[in-house]
Amino acid sequence: MKILFLGPPGAGKGTQADLVADRLGVPHISTGEMFRDHVSRGTELGERVEAIMAGGDYVPDEITVAMLEQRFAQPDADRGFILDGFPRTRGQVASLDALLGEGGLDLVVVFKVDEDELVSRMLSRGRADDTAETIRNRLQVYHEQTQPLIDVYSERGLTETVDGIGDVGEVTERILSVIGERVR
Ligand code: AMP
């Protein structure tokens, strides 16, 4: 089962993707985590993306898509995955369609969280790209480039919206319940 988590930064996608992937026995694939791993290991790719991430901007599609393509080539991605943080642009949607081929995604879980809640969550998480100024930029970039993707997937009949506010375990149960209804 190939499931995408879509929503604004700070919505809890990463936390929930970890929990849900564990329950379903599929990998959690997060381009943000992969980039952070490169930065912390000081790889060449990490050096290219560090300043972009620190400013809250998007890494260019060709870099992101190439990294994801390598990840999909690993055998554990065959059975399915929870994809989190990709696609973020229309170009990335087209790349994902090409990478997945026929069938594509089974479900897109859209996270709904109030904007004030997003900001306070991000400020409390203490990540390098979670300063007040960067957060403002990340939300703006999200609204401009990624929010429109909700319509793209909703026109394909793939979206289910989940309320991301509340206890972590309760949100996990909400997500598992929409997955259970949609995916067999
Ligand atoms: P995330 O952990 O998903 O919030 O991602 C952290 C940062 O990594 C983002 O703010 C971007 O700078 C970068 N990033 C992650 N995924 C992508 C993507 N699909 N396209 C472009 N940049 C990305």
Side-chain angles (χ1 to χ4, degrees):
M1 70 188 77
K2 294 173 176 160
I3 302 173
L4 169 64
F5 283 9
L6 192 58
K13 299 186 301 295
T15 303
Q16 292 298 336
D18 263 341
L19 295 166
V20 171
D22 261 4
R23 290 276 285 268
L24 301 180
V26 295
H28 167 199
I29 299 180
S30 156
T31 45
E33 278 298 325
M34 292 165 79
F35 284 135
R36 278 189 289 280
D37 182 55
H38 276 281
V39 170
S40 72
R41 286 188 290 125
T43 68
E44 202 184 316
L45 176 60
E47 280 173 18
R48 284 171 78 186
V49 303
E50 187 167 12
I52 299 173
M53 292 175 74
D57 292 315
Y58 285 173
V59 174
D61 283 359
E62 63 271 19
I63 296 179
T64 310
V65 170
M67 184 180 70
L68 184 71
E69 189 171 5
Q70 282 186 9
R71 180 65 187 86
F72 276 169
Q74 289 170 29
D76 68 333
D78 281 353
R79 280 174 307 122
F81 46 75
I82 307 288
L83 185 57
D84 145 43
F86 185 101
R88 272 174 147 99
T89 64
R90 286 179 191 274
Q92 290 180 13
V93 171
S95 298
L96 183 62
D97 287 342
L99 283 175
L100 295 182
E102 197 105 352
L105 294 168
D106 297 298
L107 172 66
V108 177
V109 178
V110 178
F111 282 65
K112 226 180 85 121
V113 178
D114 171 86
E115 193 126 326
D116 290 341
E117 175 80 16
L118 293 174
V119 174
S120 72
R121 280 188 189 192
M122 281 189 272
L123 283 172
S124 70
R125 130 180 121 166
R127 225 166 69 181
D129 56 351
D130 281 340
T131 63
E133 196 183 330
T134 304
I135 289 171
R136 211 174 310 122
N137 189 43
R138 287 167 67 207
L139 283 169
Q140 189 183 337
V141 173
Y142 171 80
H143 288 306
E144 286 168 7
Q145 302 206 44
T146 306
Q147 198 168 346
L149 307 188
I150 297 175
D151 287 341
V152 171
Y153 286 116
S154 134
E155 278 161 23
R156 297 184 189 183
L158 287 175
T159 52
E160 290 285 351
T161 300
V162 167
D163 180 359
I165 302 275
D167 176 75
V168 172
E170 271 170 33
V171 177
T172 307
E173 292 309 319
R174 285 177 207 148
I175 296 168
L176 287 169
S177 128
V178 299
I179 292 173
E181 284 161 22
R182 296 277 302 218
V183 184
R184 293 276 143 228

